[in-house]
Amino acid sequence: TPNHPVVVTTWSFINSTIGAWKVLKNGGSALNAIEIGASICESEQCDGTVGYGGSPGENGETTLDALLMDGKTMNVGAVGAIRRIKNAISVARHVLENTKHSILVGELATEFAVQMGFKEESLNTQDSKQLWMKWHNENHCQPNFWVDVTPDPRKSCGPYQPKYRSKTSLSKIKGDRYNHDTIGMVAIDSNGDIAAGTSTNGAKYKIPGRIGDSPIPGSGAYADNDVGGATATGDGDVMLRFLPSFLAVEEMRRGASPTAAAQIAVKRIAKYYPEYMGAVVALSKDGEYGAACHGLAGMPFPFVVHDKTMEKCHVVLVECT
Ligand code: SD4
């Protein structure tokens, strides 16, 4: 018998997993479970890498990326680099349900959200200003930087030179693991319907306008009721070139276990970018799960699971290649 309902979450985002599990346990849909679960991280500012007040761009502004995919209908809703709206995953839900489109971006995604009744407010906090100020004071933007040390959404570090930040892993530039903790979730509800989603504030000191892997279907997450779902986290600029969530689902379609499917997706990227940091979590339609990771500076990658055999969430640690 299939292991339903079940939810898996990247990293150690336990409260989000508990929130999603409560929805599933009460007969709620996988889509609801993921929206609620990711929302919890957005309001808790999980690790500073989900929600408002984290990962300021070169101009000091925090923007959000989120994705929700329905594996029953293959419908998608996503927002990229949305400004001044805290509830990125819920805006993605509105894109999914209230429009025929899949992805809305930037200032215009904000306008959509406001029309849908979301509150417009700054995503910058004392913490994000301090983070940005420290980076600014270390002169990361010279010689094109400006003199005033106030975050200003109109200013970035350009003009950019060819090869500026070319193939170097973002994690090398940034050098800390906590750049990489996007929440990614995959859930199967008691009807056997599968959904997947992500929410993140992206990468620190990004060029304004940058989106990562997280809002890209097949990259940040993917779901197909016929097979299962997957979600990815890590160096999004590099990872999105390989659609690792799509690849993991397709490998499961061809018969791979979730662990093997995640390993194949992670390894494909390492072939071209041996320095990248990232992880993929996969869940088959039967409720089997697994993950793989690469380059987390010797640290294992944690993910969280809750299914009906468990009294509470389990954190599973995966050794990385
Ligand atoms: C991104 N992938 O925007 C995101 C950041 C992250 O886990 O850490 N994801 O590149």
Side-chain angles (χ1 to χ4, degrees):
T1 51
N3 180 29
H4 299 164
V6 54
V7 58
V8 293
T9 307
T10 56
W11 305 105
S12 308
F13 297 139
I14 288 174
N15 291 344
S16 285
T17 310
I18 292 171
W21 174 251
K22 281 187 188 154
V23 173
L24 295 169
K25 191 185 60 180
N26 293 326
S29 70
L31 272 179
N32 276 350
I34 287 177
E35 184 188 353
I36 300 275
S39 298
I40 290 170
C41 253
E42 287 174 351
S43 53
E44 289 185 352
Q45 303 171 282
C46 282
D47 281 352
T49 57
V50 184
Y52 68 99
S55 306
E58 285 184 347
N59 57 359
E61 183 182 4
T62 294
T63 58
L64 304 180
D65 296 342
L67 164 71
L68 196 54
M69 179 159 184
D70 180 352
K72 182 183 186 181
T73 59
M74 303 308 278
N75 193 355
V76 163
V79 290
I82 191 171
R83 310 173 81 178
R84 302 187 307 281
I85 303 283
K86 288 185 177 173
N87 322 83
I89 191 78
S90 297
V91 181
R93 178 81 186 258
H94 280 73
V95 175
L96 191 155
E97 288 189 335
N98 298 30
T99 80
K100 64 179 181 183
H101 305 309
S102 295
I103 311 180
L104 297 179
V105 299
E107 189 69 27
L108 300 168
T110 309
E111 278 183 27
F112 169 81
V114 168
Q115 282 170 18
M116 294 291 111
F118 289 90
K119 180 174 166 203
E120 193 177 339
E121 59 196 313
S122 173
L123 302 184
N124 302 336
T125 59
Q126 278 313 107
D127 282 353
S128 70
K129 281 183 200 160
Q130 256 167 32
L131 202 59
W132 177 84
M133 211 77 86
K134 183 166 179 288
W135 176 80
H136 169 271
N137 289 340
E138 289 163 1
N139 291 322
H140 285 280
C141 241
Q142 297 294 357
N144 296 312
F145 215 49
W146 63 97
V147 188
D148 181 15
V149 286
T150 311
D152 183 341
R154 292 162 305 176
K155 289 179 180 161
S156 58
C157 304
Y160 303 98
Q161 303 305 316
K163 303 258 153 123
Y164 178 63
R165 293 187 181 177
S166 56
K167 306 256 169 188
T168 318
S169 162
L170 271 181
S171 46
K172 266 213 149 163
I173 295 167
K174 296 172 303 190
D176 82 330
R177 190 178 88 75
Y178 289 99
N179 270 314
H180 302 289
D181 301 2
T182 298
I183 185 165
M185 308 185 88
V186 187
I188 311 179
D189 61 30
S190 36
N191 289 330
D193 290 328
I194 305 174
T198 59
S199 183
T200 187
N201 51 34
K204 281 183 193 140
Y205 321 124
K206 56 187 165 287
I207 297 175
R210 178 265 193 198
I211 62 168
D213 56 327
S214 305
I216 306 298
S219 191
Y222 198 70
D224 181 338
N225 265 13
D226 286 348
V227 179
T231 185
T233 174
D235 290 340
D237 296 279
V238 164
M239 293 177 78
L240 69 80
R241 300 170 191 175
F242 300 85
L243 297 176
S245 295
F246 179 75
L247 180 55
V249 168
E250 293 313 298
E251 289 297 328
M252 290 193 286
R253 196 189 305 275
R254 284 192 279 272
S257 69
T259 303
Q263 285 168 346
I264 290 166
V266 158
K267 208 167 136 195
R268 177 75 58 86
I269 306 166
K271 181 179 164 194
Y272 295 88
Y273 298 98
E275 307 274 314
Y276 93 105
M277 289 188 182
V280 173
V281 182
L283 178 66
S284 74
K285 69 172 178 183
D286 298 329
E288 276 182 65
Y289 48 85
C293 54
H294 184 82
L296 303 188
M299 312 265 289
F301 167 71
F303 70 99
V304 196
V305 190
H306 206 317
D307 67 23
K308 65 187 175 208
T309 71
M310 300 169 183
E311 294 265 305
K312 51 185 188 158
C313 301
H314 286 195
V315 177
V316 182
L317 292 177
V318 181
E319 290 304 321
C320 303
T321 51

